[in-house]
Amino acid sequence: KAGVTQTPRYLIKTRGQQVTLSCSPISGHRSVSWYQQTPGQGLQFLFEYFSETQRNKGNFPGRFSGRQFSNSRSEMNVSTLELGDSALYLCASSLEASGGAGADTQYFGPGTRLTVL
Amino acid sequence: AQSVTQLDSQVPVFEEAPVELRCNYSSSVSVYLFWYVQYPNQGLQLLLKYLSGSTLVKGINGFEAEFNKSQTSFHLRKPSVHISDTAEYFCAVSYMNSGYSTLTFGKGTMLLVSP
């Protein structure tokens, strides 16, 4: 099975622009989560989608948004980019076959490295 | 709210020596516990997880971890490390019965294995 794929892998934008990142989960996985990784703050949860619905949201401003499509693919969008948005954005998918949502293993993609100039 | 503390930001060790990476958590509700590894320029890979049952959990690449409820700890150990184990290691928790898959991560521990 193919793993989680994220596109693009690298992105350079300037302040004030907007950006859309894409994530394709492992086939059959319905839950997709997004995380932001920075040297200062570490790994922080952005949001989670399950069956096209946002199921949970982290403590990020409204400039960060996402969506999930019927094929479970997900996108996240950041509008009005700030220098502090420079980070590695990781997408993870999980199956939720048993044990409840929290018990499932999350499989991570390689990430999209966003640089804001 | 739940939080995860990894006490060591960096752990240097010589090849073939044993290593322990420490993780403590705090939560008002029961949690599941995970260890992930991140190699340079890659995403995270699951090493092992504790859901229930035996408190000693064995994972991939010879790693194991022990859940200690009274000390709210989930330390990761390996009896003999290799150069290839050099990576960043993250401890994480998720809520039981939360209805969603959300991981709260520690800040990470960089394991540096030298010859």
Side-chain angles (χ1 to χ4, degrees), chain A residues 9 31 33 35 37 40-43 45 48 55-56 88 90 94 96 99 101-106 108-110, chain B residues 32 34 36 38 41-46 49 51 88 90 94-95 97-107:
Chain A
R9 290 292 311 277
S31 169
S33 298
Y35 296 85
Q37 185 177 24
Q41 298 298 317
L43 280 153
F45 169 73
E48 184 213 357
R55 195 160 64 172
N56 195 18
L88 181 67
L90 292 163
S94 60
E96 286 196 33
D104 249 21
T105 296
Q106 291 196 28
F108 285 80
Chain B
Y32 299 116
F34 304 80
Y36 281 85
Q38 186 177 34
N41 299 315
Q42 293 186 28
L44 279 68
Q45 179 185 9
L46 180 73
K49 65 182 180 182
L51 302 182
E88 189 148 27
F90 293 92
S94 67
Y95 281 124
N97 303 317
S98 63
Y100 46 76
S101 299
T102 298
L103 292 169
T104 300
F105 287 91
K107 293 286 191 185

Side-chain angles (χ1 to χ4, degrees), chain B residues 52-91:
Chain B
S52 65
S54 172
T55 57
L56 183 62
V57 182
K58 293 193 184 298
I60 62 171
N61 301 339
F63 284 95
E64 63 180 33
E66 185 149 24
F67 168 57
N68 187 318
K69 189 173 182 179
S70 62
Q71 297 187 4
T72 59
S73 68
F74 190 55
H75 300 333
L76 181 71
R77 294 191 289 259
K78 186 169 183 178
S80 175
V81 296
H82 303 280
I83 296 283
S84 59
D85 292 323
T86 294
E88 189 148 27
Y89 292 78
F90 293 92
C91 182

Side-chain angles (χ1 to χ4, degrees), chain A residues 13 18 31 36 50 53 56 67 70 81 88-89 93 101-102:
Chain A
K13 292 286 187 179
Q18 76 161 18
S31 169
Q36 181 196 66
F50 182 82
T53 301
N56 195 18
R67 59 178 176 168
S70 58
L81 284 165
L88 181 67
Y89 289 88
S93 73

Side-chain angles (χ1 to χ4, degrees), chain A residues 25-95:
Chain A
I26 292 172
S27 178
H29 286 195
R30 292 195 294 164
S31 169
V32 174
S33 298
W34 289 88
Y35 296 85
Q36 181 196 66
Q37 185 177 24
T38 59
Q41 298 298 317
L43 280 153
Q44 293 186 286
F45 169 73
L46 280 157
F47 24 66
E48 184 213 357
Y49 287 88
F50 182 82
S51 293
E52 302 180 66
T53 301
Q54 187 180 85
R55 195 160 64 172
N56 195 18
K57 189 177 190 307
N59 189 25
F60 277 81
R63 300 185 295 108
F64 291 81
S65 63
R67 59 178 176 168
Q68 187 181 32
F69 302 95
S70 58
N71 61 358
S72 294
R73 191 178 68 85
S74 177
E75 289 181 347
M76 67 162 281
N77 184 76
V78 188
S79 62
T80 319
L81 284 165
E82 300 177 359
L83 295 178
D85 297 333
S86 293
L88 181 67
Y89 289 88
L90 292 163
C91 167
S93 73
S94 60
L95 180 60

